[in-house]
Amino acid sequence: MNYIMVSGHNEKHLSKVEEMNGTIMLNLEDGVPKDKKEIALKNVTNLLKNTTKKEIVIRINSLEGSGLNEIVELNQFNFPIRIPKVNNLKELDRVFDLTSNEIHLSIETKEAFFNIKNLKHPQITTFYLGILDLFDELKLNHSLITFDNQMIHKILIDFSLMCRYIGVNPVGFVYQKYKDIEGFKKWCEIQKDYGFLGVGCITPNQLKIANEIFIKEDKEYAKMIVEKFEKEGPFIIDGLYVDEPIYKNYLNILE
């Protein structure tokens, strides 16, 4: 579930969407100047009318800003909508009235982060960790985001576990230092180990690296394990004793 951010006002980057691998995050929010918001929405709408790309998510502006109007405009397309700056489920009542599209949320406010388990809804499938915005809300300096800071690891672990608890997909944070390739790789590896399904990317090079790290499980192998267990019960393969918990692991991979 790695994605690359493409700003709606950048026509040059939008023209390359068809060639890009992975999920495209069409961005109407951060990264789009205030005076370019309208043209960004127009550009994105035109692209969606003509694209053959299937893996697209649209990142709208806050609901207090132009977000609700953007949902009305984008409701003609069956793509997930990512909503920023949400605090609680009550704020989304109008959203659910306006669209039946899949909803993704940016978890970047302290209220949302510390109450993740209360954000469960049938339309909500994915959460993105907005680490920088969260730090701003908590009045923590961004310089604390280091590999050896245990607080960061706790935030990542708590986020992933709470997402799993309510059945939504956890997606990691965007690493802004796009020239620091080794740093990006390490954060990807850490977040994968903590159960994240992918991260946000701001360059094609980051996306390539993330796709290599977040390798999808071998579903053919998983299918074989599941079918063999369901037919025969516990068995041994490649030095692995496949019993009920192992079977359930491969069943989860298929799902």
Side-chain angles (χ1 to χ4, degrees):
M1 294 188 67
N2 304 303
Y3 65 90
I4 185 166
M5 197 74 71
V6 180
S7 293
H9 71 292
N10 193 319
E11 296 182 8
K12 179 181 178 181
H13 291 172
L14 289 172
S15 68
K16 298 179 180 179
V17 161
E18 295 290 324
E19 309 164 16
M20 296 178 182
N21 295 319
T23 300
I24 308 300
M25 183 73 64
L26 296 175
N27 187 20
L28 300 174
E29 194 211 6
D30 292 351
V32 177
K34 290 183 179 180
D35 62 344
K36 299 288 181 65
K37 298 288 187 182
E38 289 186 13
I39 189 64
L41 178 59
K42 182 178 179 180
N43 288 344
V44 165
T45 302
N46 289 337
L47 183 148
L48 295 177
K49 286 179 179 177
N50 299 291
T51 188
T52 60
K53 192 81 176 173
K54 302 298 182 184
E55 295 179 324
I56 288 177
V57 178
I58 311 159
R59 183 189 189 192
I60 65 170
N61 287 283
S62 69
L63 300 179
E64 292 181 353
S66 55
L68 289 174
N69 290 333
E70 289 161 0
I71 290 173
V72 172
E73 181 69 25
L74 297 168
N75 196 42
Q76 60 186 297
F77 309 107
N78 190 28
F79 290 108
I81 297 172
R82 174 179 172 178
I83 305 175
K85 308 296 188 293
V86 171
N87 291 299
N88 53 66
L89 208 56
K90 181 66 178 175
E91 295 175 350
L92 297 171
D93 285 349
R94 184 75 190 282
V95 172
F96 301 135
D97 289 338
L98 290 174
T99 183
S100 59
N101 285 21
E102 181 180 327
I103 299 298
H104 297 186
L105 299 182
S106 297
I107 305 302
E108 51 197 350
T109 69
K110 56 188 178 183
E111 183 175 346
F113 179 80
F114 289 105
N115 294 281
I116 285 177
K117 66 180 182 180
N118 296 321
L119 292 172
K120 185 174 181 178
H121 187 276
Q123 278 177 247
I124 299 174
T125 66
T126 305
F127 290 165
Y128 305 87
L129 178 58
I131 192 77
L132 299 183
D133 289 295
L134 179 61
F135 263 51
D136 290 341
E137 280 237 333
L138 295 172
K139 301 189 184 306
L140 293 170
N141 196 291
H142 296 178
S143 64
L144 296 175
I145 304 174
T146 61
F147 300 119
D148 58 355
N149 187 333
Q150 293 303 305
M151 181 175 61
I152 304 304
H153 293 272
K154 176 173 172 51
I155 287 173
L156 294 174
I157 292 168
D158 287 355
F159 181 83
S160 179
L161 288 176
M162 286 300 99
C163 286
R164 299 283 180 170
Y165 178 75
I166 64 172
V168 302
N169 302 314
V171 178
F173 61 82
V174 174
Y175 189 58
Q176 306 283 119
K177 299 176 182 178
Y178 64 91
K179 291 186 178 181
D180 178 13
I181 301 304
E182 290 307 311
F184 178 72
K185 283 182 180 177
K186 190 168 182 179
W187 280 120
C188 284
E189 289 165 352
I190 288 171
Q191 290 176 95
K192 181 186 178 184
D193 286 345
Y194 288 157
F196 285 75
L197 298 180
V199 296
C201 305
I202 52 179
T203 68
N205 193 31
Q206 279 191 341
L207 183 62
K208 181 176 182 294
I209 292 167
N211 285 341
E212 291 171 354
I213 292 174
F214 289 88
I215 299 171
K216 292 182 179 179
E217 299 280 357
D218 185 344
K219 291 204 171 186
E220 287 303 314
Y221 186 81
K223 183 179 179 182
M224 180 273 292
I225 294 289
V226 166
E227 290 178 350
K228 187 174 177 66
F229 183 88
E230 290 178 348
K231 183 178 180 180
E232 304 176 8
F235 64 95
I236 296 174
I237 184 171
D238 300 329
L240 174 68
Y241 178 59
V242 179
D243 58 0
E244 188 77 17
I246 301 297
Y247 158 72
K248 287 181 178 178
N249 174 63
Y250 284 101
L251 193 63
N252 285 335
I253 290 172
L254 292 180
E255 292 175 351

